[in-house]
Amino acid sequence: MLQSNLLLTTLREAPSEAETSSHQLLLRAGYIRQLAAGVYTYLPLGRRVLRKIEAIVRDEMDASGAQEVLMPSMQPAELWKESGRYEVYGKELMTLQDRHEREFILGPTHEEVVTTLVRNEISSYRKLPVTIYQIQTKFRDERRPRSGLLRGREFLMKDAYSFDISSEGLDKSYIQMFNAYHQIFKRCGLEFRAVHADSGAIGGEGGSHEFMALAGIGEDTIAICSSCDYAANLEQAEALRPVKNEFVMQVAEIEKFHTPDIRTIDQLEQELDIQQELIIKTLVYEGGGQTFAVVVRGDHEVNEIKVSKYLGMTEIKLAEYDAVKSLAGVESGFVGPVGLPLTILVDAAVAGMTEGITGAGEKDYHFRNVVPARDFSLEQVGDFRNVAEGDVCPHCLEGVLHFQQGIEVGHVFKLGTKYSEKLGASYLDRSGKSQPMIMGCYGIGISRLMSAIVEQHHDEDGMMWPKTLAPYQVHILIMSVKDAEQVAVAEGLYEQLTKLGIETLIDDRDERAGVKFKDASLIGIPLCVVVGKQAAQGSVEYLERATAGKEVLVIMEVMSRIKEFYSPLI
Ligand code: ATP
Ligand code: MG
């Protein structure tokens, strides 16, 4: 491709609203352009990268036995009402009406459509299992579209759905997808972790893993073990129960002390010099029409998902200031578990403490020498907190957990029969009995993945595409297009490379060398061949973008170096 013909304008500065590196670079290097908030055009370079990601995804999906289909984006709203998700998705659904005022939505995902499809196509166990997938534009009216392709309102997703006749069958389909995802992300040059994930709102039974690209700007916190391969979302990571001290220590009687205006853990630590792990904090929550207290150590955070699950509630929230005051008899900074007229859920780390400091249930007072079980009830003890950095790994019991930020690029999920039951996707088993199909769903954010890759592969000068995804494989830079010799050598090389099927971009613009180098670094093609003054002697410069390696080579050599670099891809 001649760069002079390419629809490409590079920008010196990124628009101010672009905060993450990938957003800035994709705009600056002319890969994408914004049309509206969270809505983007892919320019030729961006489209090429996207196609390469799609090709890898297709390759691995096909190899796993999944079959490609293409379902409509436009879906009757009734279908979503039938599944009950019309309400759940709420404002995130993009809606429209046809000329007969029938309501439609633009698909944010396709469980409803695919379940209806399979319900009509398959009626016997003989046709199962089956896994189908598509690569398609999705629409979600996100509250806060941000970071360019990372959170769009219109974005590209690969979604797959498996249908099985038994839970063992589902396990098998799930593992097949899980393995295919590993292959896909590996081939995309991504540093990632598959983490145990909370099943969130999609519902259904069974397991779920999220594939996280490790990146400082990621919205999710992942707890990773220092010694085994355990990795889990912060919301999901399991906290080990502490070993209770076997020696019964005699702790003095509970004692009230004056703490005027000291309401927070930080104040207790700073003003009274009390270590946070010696404090017991009590938070009042509301959920399912009830009010209750959760008690955790001062240095720990309540995990609301774990608490909701324990109580079988869909959502809980901290009680308002006034509600706390009327229920606990004191404002929140002085609430404690001793004598509290509420059900209390005690985190296991607190239950393992010998003694601690708590609010005294009276304004401007705290208790010391508070002993769990002696001074407050341990009837309901469980894992109610987020893990903390340095906690022992719940899997190997040897390593410790540390935190990293991640971008969710993929999600595999055992749905069970949630949709097949609601939408009537059943089959006849061997004995002729009707059974609901057992489903799994599996997504990859293709456009988000493109951004996540840039987050991991760039430097201050621009992008550095992995070999498998670069929009072109070789970038030839002609230093002076006025020099006929340089042009002839560059064109000769371009022809040879093109003949070999090596995708080559040739910078044939009448621009200064500095401009060409800057643009080439920004665009980030893995290999550059610089054709300059030495062309007259049959030599060119060979540059590797990622390592900044630079060598002068004769033309024959450059060809074999390029082939070697891309082996076994070409
Ligand atoms: P998130 O928590 O980031 O909103 P999600 O849990 O809503 O993601 P899924 O419904 O599991 O996402 O969708 C499958 C995949 O689609 C995700 O793993 C992610 O990679 C991608 N994805 C989801 N929402 C967006 C978006 N707004 N823009 C780009 N990609 C997205
Ligand atoms: Mg979402």
Side-chain angles (χ1 to χ4, degrees):
M1 178 75 201
L2 301 181
Q3 202 164 328
S4 57
N5 287 343
L6 187 64
L7 182 60
L8 166 68
T9 315
T10 56
L11 312 172
R12 201 162 296 161
E13 302 279 337
S16 58
E17 74 273 10
E19 284 169 3
T20 54
S21 307
S22 57
H23 190 190
Q24 290 170 354
L25 291 171
L26 289 168
L27 286 169
R28 282 185 55 210
Y31 281 63
I32 59 170
R33 290 288 179 256
Q34 180 177 303
L35 180 65
V39 180
Y40 290 87
T41 297
Y42 300 92
L43 292 166
L45 290 181
R47 185 68 191 118
R48 289 180 73 94
V49 174
L50 220 45
R51 271 182 182 281
K52 293 203 171 177
I53 300 175
E54 286 175 26
I56 291 175
V57 170
R58 279 204 172 88
D59 199 39
E60 295 296 337
M61 283 296 114
D62 294 346
S64 80
Q67 303 171 46
E68 186 169 0
V69 296
L70 184 57
M71 292 179 267
S73 284
M74 200 171 149
Q75 310 177 6
E78 286 129 56
L79 204 49
W80 282 70
K81 289 180 179 158
E82 219 179 303
S83 75
R85 277 212 297 183
Y86 188 84
E87 293 295 322
V88 178
Y89 255 80
K91 284 199 178 313
E92 215 171 277
L93 275 183
M94 287 282 189
T95 54
L96 64 149
Q97 282 194 343
D98 69 7
R99 64 172 72 209
H100 308 295
E101 291 177 9
R102 261 190 80 187
E103 199 186 347
F104 283 82
I105 62 119
L106 293 176
T109 175
H110 277 66
E111 283 80 8
E112 281 77 2
V113 177
V114 79
T115 311
T116 308
L117 175 80
V118 173
R119 165 180 80 191
N120 297 334
E121 298 301 316
I122 294 181
S123 56
S124 158
Y125 72 93
R126 286 195 195 86
K127 297 278 262 180
L128 294 170
V130 69
T131 298
I132 55 187
Y133 78 97
Q134 63 176 348
I135 294 179
Q136 193 206 35
T137 301
K138 298 284 193 262
F139 300 86
R140 293 184 185 181
D141 199 355
E142 298 275 358
R143 185 190 296 273
R144 237 163 52 84
R146 60 181 283 269
S147 310
L149 305 182
L150 286 178
R151 188 169 295 286
R153 294 196 297 165
E154 175 177 324
F155 59 96
L156 204 59
M157 197 204 283
K158 184 286 301 175
D159 45 328
Y161 307 88
S162 64
F163 296 83
D164 275 276
I165 59 170
S166 65
S167 59
E168 297 75 44
L170 170 60
D171 288 347
K172 219 167 130 194
S173 302
Y174 184 86
I175 289 167
Q176 262 165 356
M177 279 295 139
F178 187 87
N179 291 339
Y181 276 35
H182 268 270
Q183 281 304 109
I184 289 167
F185 295 126
K186 223 163 87 186
R187 286 176 66 182
C188 288
L190 195 74
E191 202 192 333
F192 69 97
R193 293 296 182 113
V195 306
H196 299 269
D198 183 73
S199 44
I202 301 186
E205 66 228 44
S208 159
H209 283 88
E210 283 171 359
F211 286 78
M212 294 288 184
L214 302 182
I217 54 115
E219 290 180 353
D220 296 286
T221 304
I222 318 162
I224 297 178
C225 176
S226 59
S227 109
C228 74
D229 61 4
Y230 180 81
N233 265 347
L234 185 58
E235 299 87 57
Q236 186 75 358
E238 193 190 322
L240 275 185
R241 282 175 181 249
V243 183
K244 181 108 180 155
N245 196 342
E246 293 290 327
F247 303 103
V248 181
M249 295 214 340
Q250 275 303 324
V251 179
E253 279 299 292
I254 202 164
E255 182 188 326
K256 197 179 338 178
F257 62 111
H258 196 209
T259 50
D261 281 334
I262 295 186
R263 291 175 170 78
T264 66
I265 303 292
D266 283 345
Q267 284 175 317
L268 281 167
E269 184 181 40
Q270 279 155 25
E271 294 175 34
L272 302 180
D273 200 20
I274 300 169
Q275 281 173 285
Q276 298 206 358
E277 58 256 46
L278 299 179
I279 302 167
I280 295 171
K281 76 181 164 192
T282 306
L283 295 135
V284 180
Y285 276 92
E286 288 169 352
Q290 298 169 37
T291 314
F292 51 89
V294 183
V295 179
V296 293
R297 231 167 63 179
D299 58 331
H300 288 157
E301 298 299 327
V302 173
N303 181 313
E304 295 180 0
I305 293 176
K306 289 179 183 177
V307 174
S308 322
K309 265 195 191 151
Y310 175 86
L311 294 171
M313 294 174 180
T314 46
E315 206 186 353
I316 61 166
K317 64 176 186 21
L318 275 173
E320 300 286 340
Y321 180 85
D322 288 342
V324 174
K325 218 168 161 185
S326 78
L327 287 159
V330 68
E331 63 187 87
S332 47
F334 302 102
V335 177
V338 181
L340 189 68
L342 289 173
T343 304
I344 54 175
L345 307 187
V346 181
D347 180 64
V350 169
M353 289 169 77
T354 310
E355 61 174 307
I357 287 166
T358 72
E362 184 180 334
K363 187 167 171 357
D364 293 341
Y365 284 95
H366 277 77
F367 283 142
R368 60 166 71 96
N369 308 335
V370 178
V371 178
R374 183 187 78 179
D375 298 323
F376 61 88
S377 157
L378 288 188
E379 252 169 55
Q380 306 210 53
V381 174
D383 175 10
F384 299 130
R385 68 173 176 99
N386 285 339
V387 292
E389 278 195 282
D391 277 1
V392 173
C393 169
H395 186 67
C396 69
L397 310 180
E398 276 174 14
V400 289
L401 300 178
H402 63 274
F403 290 174
Q404 280 197 40
Q405 295 308 113
I407 301 169
E408 181 196 323
V409 287
H411 195 177
V412 292
F413 199 97
K414 290 183 188 172
L415 281 171
T417 55
K418 177 174 173 179
Y419 294 94
S420 46
E421 277 179 10
K422 279 222 165 84
L423 299 164
S426 52
Y427 66 95
L428 296 177
D429 68 11
R430 276 192 180 82
S431 57
K433 209 169 134 217
S434 177
Q435 305 277 6
M437 297 179 195
I438 302 177
M439 292 173 58
C441 68
Y442 317 91
I444 290 182
I446 304 251
S447 44
R448 180 182 283 186
L449 180 56
M450 175 162 155
S451 245
I453 289 159
V454 177
E455 283 299 330
Q456 291 186 356
H457 297 267
H458 73 269
D459 62 12
E460 63 279 8
D461 297 325
M463 296 185 272
M464 300 190 288
W465 288 104
K467 291 177 194 182
T468 47
L469 301 180
Y472 289 92
Q473 291 166 312
V474 178
H475 199 173
I476 300 176
L477 310 184
I478 309 177
M479 291 294 93
S480 167
V481 289
K482 294 192 180 82
D483 180 332
E485 196 128 34
Q486 289 184 27
V487 173
V489 167
E491 282 179 357
L493 202 57
Y494 177 72
E495 249 168 59
Q496 279 191 62
L497 289 167
T498 309
K499 233 183 242 155
L500 285 171
I502 296 172
E503 302 154 311
T504 308
L505 180 65
I506 178 165
D507 192 348
D508 60 335
R509 296 173 303 163
D510 188 8
E511 286 284 0
R512 283 180 296 115
V515 171
K516 294 191 177 192
F517 279 118
K518 264 212 158 71
D519 280 349
S521 298
L522 189 58
I523 292 168
I525 294 168
L527 289 184
C528 261
V529 177
V530 182
V531 183
K533 288 205 180 83
Q534 294 142 311
Q537 287 83 51
S539 296
V540 294
E541 217 172 44
Y542 168 92
L543 301 179
E544 284 185 14
R545 175 71 182 88
T547 59
K550 199 189 270 192
E551 282 170 74
V552 175
L553 299 175
V554 294
I555 289 160
M556 283 301 287
E557 238 176 315
V558 108
M559 288 300 294
S560 58
R561 285 299 291 278
I562 292 170
K563 281 194 262 181
E564 194 185 312
F565 180 86
Y566 278 109
S567 162
L569 288 178
I570 53 177

